[in-house]
Amino acid sequence: MKVNVAILGAGCAGLALARCLKEQGFSGSVLLLESRQCYENDRTWCYWAKPDSQWHKMAQYRWQQCLFSSLNDAQHIHYYDSTSYCCLPAENYYDFCLQQLDSANVSLKMEVEVVSVSPTRSQSWLVETTAGNLEADIVIDTRPRPCEAILYQSFLGYEVTLSRPIFAPDTVRLMCNMHGDNQCMRFYYILPFSPWHILIEPTVFHRYPLNPDLLKDDLQSALRAEDIEIESIIRRESAILPMGQTHLEGSVLVKGGIAGGALRASSGYGFLRIQAWALACAQSIITKQKAFSHQQHHLQARMDHLFLNVIKHNPVDGPDYFIRMASQLNGDQFSAFMSDEAGMKEWMQVISALPKWPFIKEVMAGG
């Protein structure tokens, strides 16, 4: 079997690339290979988006204010005028992409494991799979892979219905009850879908990958802090996200998604970055017959890595740093900073908000 483009992995990034190839008018053959048996509503993607954007319209839930708080009662609320904090459930995204991919030249094979990928003498690729071998002109690998990082963001989320309504259902608890010890920084996150329906997610920034099942005590603490009584559990989600990747697994393949460096190092947000990469990569395949991995802005990556190293070595002070940032920037400025749209003004405000000595020490130490 011979195809023009083989996409390994049909998750967020793989589906986005295939969809963009079709939308941009690619006439060649595209094959997605996915190991899972079926798609499930197993995660949510959150991001800031403006009302005229595609992903603002696609979001199932939107909010205009977010709360930050620490365990010592410091708190700040962001109000958004020109943007919204958005949530897109996985089932909505998968359905949208799969409908867009209903095409003669794009195909998806599920329950297929990729065994190996190797170059051929004819400048193509031989892809060996559990369903047989194929040859492809271009291969993009979007499968998740272990990687080294400065910190790891582990979270355990439960979508639940409540016995009584939650307080302030119009406000996302973005980083609440932040506190740190000498190992990590902890907080929880609540998306109120309605007064009676929420997603609650305890989160840890740790120097090592932490099994999300170990966060069940954090979940109980968050429920007590918010005086929440669960009536029923709808579903569970969990993940370990690399923050500030320091080494990507060696490969000659073009990579996309998390393994390709899609996540914003200092926050773990990546959905809009993946969509932007997918569009640019699709255009490059069409015009230049060449794919590429996520492109990092050097200054932003350097600043993010510096910030993460400071958090890594000073986790007790981490909550104060985030509260300072939230207080110094208004809602729209903060969303621009988190969405890779910050200008020099926002960067200078972030720098001025943070204490200087921990960062100077980190620079001197080579962090």
Side-chain angles (χ1 to χ4, degrees), residues 207-227:
R207 62 182 63 194
Y208 303 112
L210 194 66
N211 186 332
D213 284 334
L214 298 176
L215 301 182
K216 290 181 179 178
D217 287 345
D218 294 65
L219 174 64
Q220 294 303 317
S221 296
L223 293 173
R224 288 193 297 270
E226 295 286 339
D227 193 23

Side-chain angles (χ1 to χ4, degrees), residues 27 32 39 65 100 102 125 133 149 162 164 166-167 174 212 221 270 304 312 330 340 367:
S27 58
L32 295 104
Y39 287 103
Q65 53 196 54
Q100 298 297 309
D102 185 13
W125 297 89
N133 299 345
L162 307 179
R164 57 175 180 264
I166 191 172
F167 175 73
L174 195 61
S221 296
D304 280 355
K312 178 180 180 179
N330 65 37
D340 299 332

Side-chain angles (χ1 to χ4, degrees), residues 113-223:
E113 295 281 354
V114 175
V115 178
S116 67
V117 183
S118 56
T120 69
R121 292 182 178 179
S122 59
Q123 296 186 325
S124 61
W125 297 89
L126 176 64
V127 182
E128 297 184 51
T129 80
T130 52
N133 299 345
L134 63 97
E135 185 180 351
D137 296 324
I138 297 173
V139 175
I140 303 97
D141 189 357
T142 69
R143 297 171 297 170
R145 285 290 184 270
C147 60
E148 296 177 12
I150 299 171
L151 289 174
Y152 296 88
Q153 180 181 159
S154 301
F155 61 83
L156 173 66
Y158 282 88
E159 185 176 347
V160 299
T161 59
L162 307 179
S163 300
R164 57 175 180 264
I166 191 172
F167 175 73
D170 58 347
T171 302
V172 170
R173 280 75 154 169
L174 195 61
M175 298 180 76
C176 280
N177 276 21
M178 289 184 281
H179 59 285
D181 55 31
N182 60 358
Q183 291 291 321
C184 63
M185 177 181 148
R186 299 174 182 268
F187 58 92
Y188 61 81
Y189 173 89
I190 297 179
L191 298 180
F193 300 138
S194 80
W196 304 88
H197 176 201
I198 67 169
L199 173 66
I200 182 166
E201 207 160 82
T203 303
V204 175
F205 292 170
H206 203 289
R207 62 182 63 194
Y208 303 112
L210 194 66
N211 186 332
D213 284 334
L214 298 176
L215 301 182
K216 290 181 179 178
D217 287 345
D218 294 65
L219 174 64
Q220 294 303 317
S221 296
L223 293 173

Side-chain angles (χ1 to χ4, degrees), residues 58-69:
M58 278 288 300
Q60 184 170 346
Y61 305 101
R62 307 175 193 88
W63 298 268
Q64 297 306 123
Q65 53 196 54
C66 291
L67 171 69
F68 302 78
S69 69

Side-chain angles (χ1 to χ4, degrees), residues 307-364:
F307 180 72
L308 288 174
N309 273 305
V310 170
I311 296 291
K312 178 180 180 179
H313 297 131
N314 305 273
V316 172
D317 297 323
D320 178 59
Y321 301 158
F322 281 100
I323 289 290
R324 285 172 178 247
M325 288 174 58
S327 301
Q328 186 70 22
L329 278 70
N330 65 37
D332 290 336
Q333 290 170 334
F334 186 85
S335 67
F337 182 77
M338 299 298 285
S339 304
D340 299 332
E341 297 178 355
M344 184 56 67
K345 178 181 178 182
E346 286 79 19
W347 274 99
M348 293 307 297
Q349 285 178 301
V350 169
I351 292 171
S352 66
L354 297 171
K356 307 302 180 290
W357 182 236
F359 290 84
I360 293 172
K361 286 198 298 184
E362 197 61 49
V363 170
M364 293 173 63

